[in-house]
Amino acid sequence: MAAHNELGKWGEDLATAYLEQKGYTIVERDWKSGRRDIDIIARDGNIVVFVEVKTRKNSVFGAPEEAIDFHKLQNLQQAINHYVKYKHIRQPIRFDIISIVGTIGQTPDIRHIQDVTLI
């Protein structure tokens, strides 16, 4: 596995553990809609939360969440719409970002940005 893939998997595992510690229930991970994917789908009470996880070794080139550009937001919106229709979701939904800075073996900096506006 390439180093960036390892870092991304580590970040998603951390984000999952973080959400579980906060009382979220993890419903799915790495849900695919064609070429699009949703990193984590969870429940926060009665709210279905779609989570994009961005992990970076450091912040030299900016915060991890800054890598989520317009094109990525469009893809996420389409994947979320597909999931909602496919699973017949009737509960309120929310989109969150979890930003992680650090490397395997370090204590990471985890930032949870809730209720992000898509497009």
Side-chain angles (χ1 to χ4, degrees):
M1 182 180 288
H4 72 279
N5 289 339
E6 259 183 53
L7 187 68
K9 170 99 172 70
W10 175 74
E12 287 184 22
D13 290 345
L14 280 175
T16 298
Y18 168 87
L19 290 170
E20 288 175 332
Q21 287 175 346
K22 296 286 182 186
Y24 289 62
T25 302
I26 305 303
V27 176
E28 304 208 38
R29 288 185 61 182
D30 297 318
W31 189 82
K32 304 273 190 258
S33 172
R35 294 174 291 123
R36 300 171 184 94
D37 73 306
I38 302 169
D39 293 333
I40 300 170
I41 301 168
R43 288 194 178 274
D44 180 15
N46 73 325
I47 300 170
V48 178
V49 184
F50 299 92
V51 182
E52 176 67 11
V53 180
K54 285 294 178 192
T55 307
R56 299 287 181 266
K57 287 190 266 189
N58 57 53
S59 297
V60 171
F61 297 107
E65 66 271 16
E66 292 172 5
I68 303 172
D69 61 10
F70 180 77
H71 182 69
K72 179 64 175 177
L73 288 173
Q74 278 184 316
N75 283 334
L76 285 164
Q77 180 70 57
Q78 290 174 351
I80 290 167
N81 286 344
H82 181 197
Y83 186 88
V84 166
K85 289 177 186 171
Y86 178 72
K87 297 287 187 167
H88 307 287
I89 302 297
R90 306 250 186 270
Q91 297 85 2
I93 65 170
R94 188 176 84 213
F95 174 63
D96 291 1
I97 297 171
I98 294 185
S99 168
I100 300 172
V101 177
T103 58
I104 299 168
Q106 285 184 342
T107 301
D109 178 33
I110 300 174
R111 184 167 174 238
H112 184 183
I113 307 162
Q114 294 183 340
D115 204 15
V116 176
T117 302
L118 282 163
I119 49 174

